């Protein structure tokens, strides 16, 4: 695996690979790589000839009171994992390469339609930071395919919309959430949990499964708006009882991320909840 820091070197590498007819895969990450990230790299390797993974902890997507400073940075272990996975190039840009005049002066990419609710409501400006950095990275790497995890369901939808609206010549692929044995979605933020919080954390996915099960099996005809609202209220109460501080628990139409209605067949349940100061997110998609 080669490690690249400079944009010029990255562009030369990509140009050379493309001149040999190679299809470029890209996996943008913020590092602290776990099996979920490695699954994205493996998916990219299975459909592309040359895979670039980036590690950049993007300050623009963190709010003022969020965990930018303590976000885990584990570069040497990350490199080992990428080599083992067969990743070809690691791109490691510096903050002043990405935002040379600082965050405030930098041009922003904003996707208004899918970013108002859910994580967008709880973390104002977060998705503008994500879409801005992903656009910059797409322009630098020029991938044919980019792979993102479905754990960040709203992020994936927002990036797909951005790529479509801006006619970006890249196919955006999603990879199913990779889970620990007890069902907890893998996330770099799981490392913030203490032992007792870690035990409780699995209850987030169990609650999502219970709601999904009820949606699929408890209604003789299709669930209606009041049923969705009741299921959301029940789930929030259960999470609170288990020791979480729920942020949101929303049953939505999978394609619009708007509240589900009786007409929707493709449904996603989106959840975010705090254990102490750690914010966990997860989701389940079902067909009714
Ligand atoms: O999902 C992430 O790790 C980040 O939001 C991403 C896509 C790498 C952009 O910084």
């Amino acid at each position: 695996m080669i490690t690249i820091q400079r944009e010029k070197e990255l562009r030369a590498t990509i140009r050379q690979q493309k001149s040999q007819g190679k299809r470029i895969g890209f996996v943008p990450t913020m590092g602290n790589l776990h099996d979920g990230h490695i699954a994205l790299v493996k998916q990219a390797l299975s459909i592309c000839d040359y895979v670039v993974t980036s590690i950049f902890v993007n300050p623009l997507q963190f709010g003022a009171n969020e965990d930018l400073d303590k976000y885990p940075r584990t570069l040497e272990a990350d490199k080992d994992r990428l080599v083992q996975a067969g990743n070809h190039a690691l791109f490691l840009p510096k903050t002043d390469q990405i935002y040379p005049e600082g965050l405030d002066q930098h041009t922003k990419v904003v996707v208004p339609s899918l970013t108002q609710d859910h994580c967008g409501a709880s973390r104002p400006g977060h998705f503008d930071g994500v879409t801005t950095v992903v656009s910059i990275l797409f322009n630098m790497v020029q991938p044919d395919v980019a792979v993102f995890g479905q754990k960040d369901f709203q992020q994936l939808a927002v990036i797909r919309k951005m790529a479509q609206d801006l006619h970006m010549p890249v196919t955006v692929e999603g990879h199913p959430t990779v889970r620990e044995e007890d069902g907890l979605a893998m996330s770099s933020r799981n490392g913030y949990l203490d032992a007792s919080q870690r035990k409780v954390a699995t209850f987030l996915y169990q609650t999502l499964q219970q709601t999904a099960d009820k949606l699929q099996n408890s209604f003789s005809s299709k669930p209606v708006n009041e049923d969705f609202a009741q299921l959301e209220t029940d789930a929030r109460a259960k999470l609170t009882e288990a020791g979480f501080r729920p942020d949101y628990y929303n049953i939505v139409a999978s394609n619009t991320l708007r509240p589900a209605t009786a007409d929707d067949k493709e449904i996603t349940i989106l959840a975010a909840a705090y254990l102490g100061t750690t914010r966990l997110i997860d989701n389940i998609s079902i067909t009714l």
Side-chain angles (χ1 to χ4, degrees):
M1 181 178 79
I2 57 167
T3 298
I4 302 175
Q5 268 172 348
R6 299 271 136 219
E7 180 179 355
K8 206 170 157 194
E9 195 192 332
L10 174 72
R11 287 190 184 274
T13 304
I14 299 296
R15 217 172 15 249
Q16 193 202 14
Q17 296 300 327
K18 285 196 171 179
S19 74
Q20 294 168 20
K22 298 215 176 134
R23 192 170 150 84
I24 309 295
F26 179 43
V27 181
T29 81
M30 299 206 299
N32 190 232
L33 304 182
H34 49 65
D35 287 354
H37 296 110
I38 298 305
L40 307 183
V41 173
K42 289 195 170 150
Q43 177 165 339
L45 284 165
S46 73
I47 49 181
C48 297
D49 309 299
Y50 192 86
V51 173
V52 180
T53 297
S54 64
I55 295 181
F56 177 64
V57 183
N58 173 32
L60 195 61
Q61 69 188 77
F62 287 79
N65 301 317
E66 293 184 352
D67 55 343
L68 173 63
D69 291 338
K70 72 165 183 172
Y71 198 84
R73 286 147 170 101
T74 52
L75 184 56
E76 289 314 310
D78 292 350
K79 280 185 179 167
D80 289 348
R81 298 210 65 166
L82 289 172
V83 169
Q84 268 180 27
N87 183 66
H88 297 104
L90 169 61
F91 181 43
L92 279 179
K94 294 254 187 307
T95 305
D96 60 1
Q97 265 172 273
I98 301 287
Y99 304 115
E101 290 173 56
L103 304 185
D104 291 344
Q105 295 306 311
H106 205 86
T107 301
K108 309 290 184 312
V109 177
V110 177
V111 177
S113 65
L114 294 168
T115 55
Q116 304 307 312
D117 302 325
H118 324 302
C119 286
S122 320
R123 304 181 68 189
H126 166 70
F127 285 117
D128 300 349
V130 170
T131 43
T132 299
V133 81
V134 171
S135 306
I136 297 168
L137 292 168
F138 278 2
N139 281 332
M140 287 175 155
V141 177
Q142 312 247 321
D144 297 290
V145 178
V147 188
F148 296 83
Q150 285 169 2
K151 182 185 76 87
D152 298 296
F153 190 90
Q154 188 176 13
Q155 169 173 282
L156 176 59
V158 169
I159 289 170
R160 281 201 164 116
K161 178 87 168 98
M162 171 190 80
Q164 185 189 332
D165 285 358
L166 299 182
H167 297 254
M168 293 175 161
V170 57
T171 304
V172 176
E173 296 281 356
H175 187 282
T177 304
V178 179
R179 298 184 179 280
E180 303 286 354
E181 264 178 26
D182 65 355
L184 176 66
M186 287 197 183
S187 163
S188 299
R189 291 190 167 99
N190 293 349
Y192 298 151
L193 300 171
D194 66 27
S196 70
Q197 290 171 333
R198 174 63 190 81
K199 277 193 194 137
V200 176
T202 181
F203 196 69
L204 182 59
Y205 183 51
Q206 286 171 18
T207 307
L208 287 165
Q209 285 177 307
Q210 284 161 12
T211 308
D213 187 51
K214 282 188 188 144
L215 279 169
Q216 285 180 307
N217 300 316
S218 299
F219 297 94
S220 46
S221 60
K222 286 193 232 162
V224 294
N225 295 5
E226 294 73 38
D227 301 322
F228 293 125
Q230 189 59 53
L231 288 170
E232 290 170 353
T233 305
D234 293 349
R236 275 194 286 266
K238 277 189 183 163
L239 288 171
T240 306
E241 204 179 309
F244 285 91
R245 185 162 54 84
D247 178 358
Y248 62 77
Y249 195 96
N250 298 333
I251 305 174
V252 302
S254 303
N255 55 349
T256 61
L257 308 189
R258 303 292 304 151
T261 67
D263 294 334
D264 294 314
K265 285 196 171 52
E266 302 301 323
I267 300 279
T268 299
I269 312 160
L270 299 170
Y274 288 89
L275 275 175
T277 54
T278 305
R279 185 171 176 279
L280 302 176
I281 65 171
D282 203 349
N283 64 83
I284 284 189
S285 293
I286 53 170
T287 303
L288 292 183

